Amino acid sequence: MTESAPDPARPLAGLTVLDLSRVLAGPYATQILGDLGATVWKVERPGSGDETRAWGPPFVGGASAYYLSVNRNKRSAALDFNDPLHHAAIVRAAARADVVVENFLPGALAGFGLDAATLRRANPALVVCSITGYGQDGPYASLPGYDAVMQGFVGLQSVTGTPDGPPLKVGVALIDVLTGGVHSLVNVAQSALSTGAPARRHGNAHPTIVPYQTFAAADGLFVLAVGNDGQWARVCEAMGEPERAAHPRWAKNPDRVLHRAEVVDWLAGRFAAEPREAWLARFRAAGVPAGAVREVHEALADPALAQRGMVAPHVLADGSRTPLMALPWQADGQRPPVVRTPPALGQDTAAFLAEFGPPSVQ
């Protein structure tokens, strides 16, 4: 039933996950479990499957890049909840599984007898993870939630963008990746709670740290992130004006925040006069966090990613080739491998029914 993998990069080998989720939040979570060695059975709607299969272009070999990003190391079984044989197989799979992950609206699975309470009667040790937009109870529980809606609803859009521009969503579905939309506002939420004042947009700057933002050099953009006063002193020294660090209005971060405009204006004027790499070289030598603002394709083409095994070529089920991203952590120097490329819709349905179906279909 499972693929044993003794290497430390796959510590969940031997566990079985029944994945009843689709789109991003659930599949992202179960992909991590699969990467770490669990056997993941992805249950999909016959005919169409996970909605993200159609979220393109781009497509690779008929599969959308969106789908490919969160569905490796899984098997796909195309099953109809209303089909008695399929339903029985899902119930039997849950009875033998360790984890079930689902992202249906609250109460929806109860109508099929696949809710947590029902499944646990046959398998009390079963861990059921239910991902919802607004929680299992409360006035919004019955509402569907997609990431873009949630970014607006929880206030994330209100603090994203330039001060004089409209609210903007983050360029990736961040709430789907993090879940806990309100909680993921962390310091911004706490500041609003502590002061009672509305949070504001700061563009590429930081509300409570200065300098901590994007600057324009003579030939490109870079980010300077000064996290403490010691780093600020090293910035001033690297710029050839160490005395600036002791300026009475600039010496401490709270002072720099209060006098943000004059600090930023001085830095911006200096940075615009020289190439980006010259400044980055100085800050690297000084141990100050700074980096170029790059396009996504530039970041992915960085040799460091290939060297660390973060991006590697793979062959899909139909023979198409595409690189896939790997998990960002290692165990004993090993990164979890891609044992199974993202599956075609229903390619493992027969195997699922053979494994879990009633005797009549085994």
Side-chain angles (χ1 to χ4, degrees):
M1 180 172 67
T2 59
E3 298 156 341
S4 60
D7 69 83
R10 293 172 61 79
L12 299 186
L15 296 182
T16 298
V17 176
L18 184 62
D19 182 5
L20 304 181
S21 70
R22 68 272 187 212
V23 188
L24 181 55
Y28 182 77
T30 56
Q31 176 173 273
I32 292 174
L33 300 179
D35 284 353
L36 294 177
T39 296
V40 179
W41 290 97
K42 180 180 179 68
V43 175
E44 302 187 68
R45 182 185 296 109
S48 57
D50 190 314
E51 290 96 311
T52 63
R53 288 183 180 275
W55 285 11
F59 295 95
V60 179
S64 72
Y66 201 118
Y67 170 80
L68 295 176
S69 72
V70 289
N71 284 291
R72 64 173 175 264
N73 286 331
K74 303 178 186 180
R75 297 173 167 95
S76 170
L79 302 170
D80 183 349
F81 288 180
N82 292 306
D83 183 299
L85 293 179
H86 289 184
H87 182 275
I90 293 170
V91 170
R92 288 165 66 93
R96 294 164 56 186
D98 300 287
V99 176
V100 170
V101 178
E102 59 92 3
N103 59 356
F104 285 79
L105 286 173
L109 287 180
F112 296 101
L114 297 174
D115 56 296
T118 302
L119 296 179
R120 286 195 183 118
R121 282 200 286 269
N123 183 359
L126 182 67
V127 174
V128 179
C129 174
S130 180
I131 303 169
T132 65
Y134 302 90
Q136 294 291 327
D137 51 26
Y140 308 123
S142 64
L143 299 178
Y146 275 88
D147 179 89
V149 174
M150 302 308 299
Q151 286 198 30
F153 192 78
V154 305
L156 181 58
Q157 286 191 27
S158 75
V159 295
T160 305
T162 58
D164 56 350
L168 297 174
K169 75 177 185 68
V170 180
V172 70
L174 193 63
I175 289 181
D176 271 344
V177 174
L178 297 175
T179 67
V182 174
H183 195 264
S184 64
L185 294 176
V186 288
N187 59 298
V188 173
Q190 189 59 54
S191 293
L193 290 171
S194 298
T195 65
R200 298 187 295 114
R201 291 185 291 283
H202 290 270
N204 290 321
H206 195 284
T208 58
I209 309 174
V210 173
Y212 198 101
Q213 66 180 75
T214 301
F215 289 97
D219 60 350
L221 300 175
F222 71 97
V223 176
L224 177 65
V226 176
N228 56 59
D229 296 331
Q231 291 176 355
W232 169 243
R234 296 200 295 276
V235 166
C236 295
E237 185 173 356
M239 297 180 72
E241 298 188 46
E243 70 280 2
R244 294 274 185 173
H247 191 294
R249 295 197 302 273
W250 299 7
K252 301 296 182 183
N253 181 68
D255 299 317
R256 294 193 296 275
V257 172
L258 290 176
H259 300 93
R260 178 190 301 268
E262 61 184 68
V263 175
V264 171
D265 286 349
W266 172 66
L267 292 170
R270 289 290 310 277
F271 292 150
E274 296 186 41
R276 179 172 67 183
E277 187 52 41
W279 291 116
L280 293 179
R282 292 179 192 176
F283 294 141
R284 282 193 292 266
V288 175
V293 176
R294 303 192 292 185
E295 301 289 343
V296 172
H297 71 275
E298 292 180 279
L300 293 175
D302 192 316
L305 269 68
Q307 179 181 340
R308 290 179 51 79
M310 281 297 299
V311 177
H314 290 281
V315 180
L316 304 182
D318 68 349
S320 301
R321 296 177 179 272
T322 184
L324 294 177
M325 295 289 294
L327 275 181
W329 62 74
Q330 298 181 1
D332 291 351
Q334 299 181 55
R335 198 175 298 281
V338 177
V339 176
R340 291 176 175 271
T341 55
L345 174 59
Q347 73 174 41
D348 304 294
T349 303
F352 184 91
L353 294 175
E355 183 84 29
F356 303 112
S360 61
V361 297
Q362 290 183 350

